[in-house]
Amino acid sequence: MTKKILITGASGGFGKLIVFALLQKGHSVAASMRDINGKNKSIADELSKAGAKIIEIDVTDDTSVNNGVQKAIAELNGLDVLINNAGTGVLGMQEFFTPADFQKIFDINVFGVQRMNRAVVPYFREKKDGLIVYTSSLLGRIALPFYGAYQASKWALEALAENYRVELSGFGIENCIVEPGGYPTSFNENLIKPSDKSREAAYGDFAKVPEIALQNFENVLKNNPQQDPQKVADAYAELLEKPKGEKPFRKAVDFIGMAEHIQKYNEHHEQIMTGLYTKFGTQGMLSVKK
């Protein structure tokens, strides 16, 4: 069945590709982004021409989120799926990021999701149905150097999704996480760098390593064409095709050797969750009410 879908962060990274993939499947899509009459106008026009409804939403602004969600529901004549895709990445030594830097990153990657969910969930609860999908990352499950603030936000996002999963399952609202690896998208062009440069001297030559590591990873991506971001968009389309209650809670999407390890981790984690919830007699909260 075709769905009515609202996605955030449709202007770049995976967002644009996800919108096209969903439209090709016949879904109705409200593609949201910031600045639709400014820097994102060309992308907004392209998506609109393809059939998407264009909605202006800044996930860091309460009013923008609430107004945008209501407009999307009106434009689509309903809503079945929310895809929390808006996000930003980082590059740099974790110590160099100020508390204000962390707040900026969390405001998009975590608080932005909370704003969107709070705006959408009452509608889903009333209709006793709905799907919320979160764009996380393999780095929401493991930690690698030089991406600390981003990883902290994605680990927080995973916990946020875990709680929504069990607290909303009884209302018929399903929650799923997609965990992509690194891909050659515009995401890497907009990484937030730490604003405190005063501590670089204390790190010596090691302070230069984050930039070198990024260049090396970009070379890895160039030499591994199978790491195609279109496959991430296709994973979203495939997820939506699965019946209610049969979707995996977590799905790792990577083709350069990381996904299989993370997927094993996810499966073991699910066993732990099932065991603990069963012990406390609350295992039913792990399954969405159909």
Side-chain angles (χ1 to χ4, degrees):
M1 292 179 61
T2 58
K3 302 289 186 181
K4 299 171 182 177
I5 303 164
L6 169 60
I7 178 172
T8 63
S11 62
F14 299 123
K16 179 180 172 182
L17 293 175
I18 294 171
V19 173
F20 279 122
L22 297 176
L23 289 172
Q24 288 171 2
K25 292 290 186 178
H27 299 294
S28 299
V29 182
S32 77
M33 64 192 78
R34 296 178 297 170
D35 205 9
I36 61 176
N37 294 310
K39 70 173 184 177
N40 289 325
K41 187 177 187 305
S42 61
I43 295 175
D45 289 346
E46 183 181 0
L47 293 176
S48 176
K49 186 177 180 181
K53 309 288 186 183
I54 305 302
I55 307 293
E56 178 139 16
I57 292 181
D58 178 351
V59 298
T60 68
D61 183 271
D62 290 2
T63 300
S64 175
V65 166
N66 291 328
N67 290 343
V69 167
Q70 292 306 311
K71 183 177 180 183
I73 292 173
E75 292 271 340
L76 294 172
N77 192 29
L79 188 65
D80 303 309
V81 182
L82 167 63
I83 299 178
N84 284 304
N85 176 70
T88 189
V90 309
L91 180 72
M93 297 294 181
Q94 185 164 259
E95 184 186 349
F96 301 169
F97 287 89
T98 65
D101 292 336
F102 265 76
Q103 288 175 336
K104 180 179 180 181
I105 294 154
F106 270 68
D107 202 20
I108 299 169
N109 292 0
V110 183
F111 305 149
V113 174
Q114 175 68 351
R115 290 186 184 97
M116 291 299 301
N117 281 11
R118 279 174 51 82
V120 168
V121 165
Y123 180 84
F124 282 172
R125 273 194 287 104
E126 185 176 352
K127 64 183 261 183
K128 295 181 173 55
D129 191 30
L131 169 65
I132 304 173
V133 186
Y134 306 81
T135 300
S136 182
S137 169
L138 296 186
L139 298 185
R141 304 300 275 160
I142 58 170
L144 296 177
F146 318 131
Y147 307 106
Y150 174 73
Q151 291 168 151
S153 73
K154 290 301 185 181
W155 282 47
L157 174 65
E158 297 261 347
L160 196 77
E162 287 267 14
N163 277 278
Y164 272 120
R165 173 193 184 184
V166 295
E167 292 178 2
L168 296 179
S169 61
F171 295 100
I173 303 171
E174 201 167 16
N175 286 262
C176 297
I177 303 172
V178 178
E179 299 167 336
Y183 288 82
T185 71
S186 59
F187 183 83
N188 291 337
E189 300 168 8
N190 300 295
L191 299 175
I192 293 176
K193 309 291 179 66
S195 60
D196 184 2
K197 307 293 184 183
S198 67
R199 305 187 181 207
E200 289 184 357
Y203 275 67
D205 289 340
F206 189 44
K208 303 174 184 177
V209 174
E211 291 289 348
I212 295 171
L214 178 62
Q215 292 173 10
N216 289 339
F217 183 64
E218 288 177 340
N219 288 332
V220 169
L221 294 178
K222 289 178 182 177
N223 294 322
N224 289 274
Q226 73 272 21
Q227 193 76 341
D228 181 354
Q230 182 60 47
K231 294 180 180 179
V232 177
D234 293 341
Y236 278 85
E238 292 167 7
L239 181 69
L240 266 59
E241 290 179 353
K242 295 184 180 297
K244 184 175 182 177
E246 297 181 20
K247 300 177 185 67
F249 177 55
R250 283 185 171 92
K251 173 65 177 177
V253 187
D254 175 84
F255 302 92
I256 53 175
M258 295 178 68
E260 53 266 36
H261 298 289
I262 300 301
Q263 204 61 42
K264 290 177 183 177
Y265 177 17
N266 289 343
E267 290 167 3
H268 184 57
H269 178 84
E270 190 68 13
Q271 291 173 1
I272 292 171
M273 292 290 286
T274 300
L276 288 173
Y277 273 67
T278 299
K279 182 176 179 63
F280 293 112
T282 55
Q283 65 270 27
M285 297 180 74
L286 293 170
S287 301
V288 65
K289 184 178 180 180
K290 296 184 181 180

